[in-house]
Amino acid sequence: MGKLQKKNAPIGVLDSGVGGLSVLKCLKEALPHEDFIYVGDTARTPYGSRSEVEVRTFVGEMLDFLTAEGVKLVVIACNTLTVLGTETLKGNREFGLVGMSKGERLVLEASRNKTIGVFATEFTINSGAHKAAILALAPTACVVPQACPKLVPLIEGEQFSGEELPAAISEYALSLKAAEADTLILSCTHYPFVKKEIEREMGRGVRVIDPAQQTALDAKAALAADGLLKSEGEGRAVICFTADPERGKRLAGRMFKTEECEFSLVSLK
Ligand code: DGL
């Protein structure tokens, strides 16, 4: 592929389901001239309670799909996949991979008492990656990791108004409140869909941080470093799901205007 052709290629974005749309929102804002192709594996979400072998197989299939689309960069808009290590996911693919920011600098800047909660999937919490990143910068910080396995199914199922969502959030907030965390990072890309509900539960004294904006800046820097930033034209987004694209479209509408986007059902096999 020639340099100009490569510059005009789309950016791939992937997640286990609709969560990565919260990252696509920030990517669209930071990179308005770029085209995006998003793939969300809504047929097999959630990934966060699955084994590493399964998750590696699924992400390989999504990367193969995006390779066939001729992407110039892939943003792994999923913390569960990011903690597998972008280098091992990349293999010998020609495009670069940008994973989710762990947000360690963001939380340490935001926190006054250096007591920081991490909400994420079981898989991400068990990896210890976020805790390690924060402690590497601030060894005396107190990190409170909390797996939140009920949240992804509730968000994917559009269960925003029932009793279950606030009950689950209250349950997960307990450990953070007991430790008096003043900052909480949302280290699963689905959770920004319920950021307001989480903020309400945590109360005014707690800063709730979404690392998606930082991730979008990281993607922009990676493109700029390779001379692949597109600086003109209006970008468009093609959004693909492995099941129920109508539901995906409704959920996307909670993040950005969907009129300009194309939605479709795809098979990864
Ligand atoms: N949205 C994903 C993350 O950031 C994964 C959620 C899941 O499939 O469990 O971790």
Side-chain angles (χ1 to χ4, degrees):
M1 211 191 285
K3 190 84 177 179
L4 184 63
Q5 209 184 350
K6 202 167 175 195
K7 217 177 195 178
N8 289 330
I11 298 170
V13 183
L14 63 80
D15 180 47
S16 67
V18 300
L21 296 168
S22 66
V23 184
L24 181 58
K25 172 187 193 284
C26 295
L27 286 164
K28 280 158 66 55
E29 286 165 3
L31 298 160
H33 306 294
E34 302 286 349
D35 293 333
F36 294 97
I37 175 148
Y38 179 95
V39 57
D41 194 6
T42 42
R44 299 185 292 197
T45 196
Y47 282 7
S49 315
R50 291 181 183 269
S51 72
E52 178 167 346
V53 173
E54 261 182 317
V55 169
R56 279 196 187 272
T57 306
F58 298 165
V59 67
E61 289 170 8
M62 287 195 277
L63 287 168
D64 287 347
F65 173 82
L66 293 171
T67 304
E69 295 291 327
V71 294
K72 62 180 172 182
L73 177 84
V74 167
V75 178
I76 309 282
C78 175
N79 293 269
T80 303
L81 297 174
T82 298
V83 298
L84 292 172
T86 44
E87 274 314 305
T88 71
L89 296 179
K90 184 176 173 349
N92 50 15
R93 296 175 201 279
E94 279 181 15
F95 47 79
L97 253 58
V98 171
M100 286 304 297
S101 161
K102 293 192 182 64
E104 61 272 35
R105 288 182 199 283
L106 300 176
V107 290
L108 286 167
E109 263 165 43
S111 177
R112 293 171 303 276
N113 68 4
K114 305 297 176 230
T115 303
I116 294 154
V118 180
F119 272 6
T121 66
E122 282 170 298
F123 195 102
T124 302
I125 293 295
N126 289 342
S127 79
H130 293 77
K131 183 173 180 173
I134 296 167
L135 293 181
L137 289 185
T140 57
C142 171
V143 182
V144 188
Q146 176 64 56
C148 310
K150 293 178 190 164
L151 295 187
V152 170
L154 287 169
I155 293 161
E156 288 281 340
E158 301 176 278
Q159 304 292 305
F160 296 106
S161 53
E163 304 273 294
E164 280 177 80
L165 180 66
I169 294 173
S170 305
E171 179 190 330
Y172 300 140
L174 287 176
S175 58
L176 277 67
K177 287 185 179 177
E180 297 181 1
D182 73 352
T183 303
L184 162 60
I185 182 151
L186 304 182
S187 296
C188 168
T189 57
H190 279 75
Y191 303 169
F193 279 87
V194 293
K195 186 169 184 234
K196 281 203 186 74
E197 289 82 348
I198 292 172
E199 281 172 337
R200 199 175 309 134
E201 176 62 35
M202 294 310 301
R204 278 174 173 269
V206 177
R207 292 274 312 271
V208 178
I209 311 269
D210 173 4
Q213 215 171 4
Q214 181 59 50
T215 304
L217 294 177
D218 293 347
K220 188 173 183 175
L223 286 173
D226 287 342
L228 291 177
L229 264 183
K230 224 178 132 197
S231 51
E232 52 192 35
E234 203 178 320
R236 45 179 223 114
V238 176
I239 301 178
C240 307
F241 295 108
T242 54
D244 210 344
E246 277 308 313
R247 176 169 54 88
K249 185 174 179 178
R250 284 194 301 276
L251 285 159
R254 289 180 170 258
M255 284 293 152
F256 46 79
K257 288 203 178 78
T258 55
E259 295 85 49
E260 307 292 307
C261 305
E262 192 186 312
F263 290 82
S264 65
L265 178 65
V266 296
S267 162
L268 295 176
K269 298 240 173 80

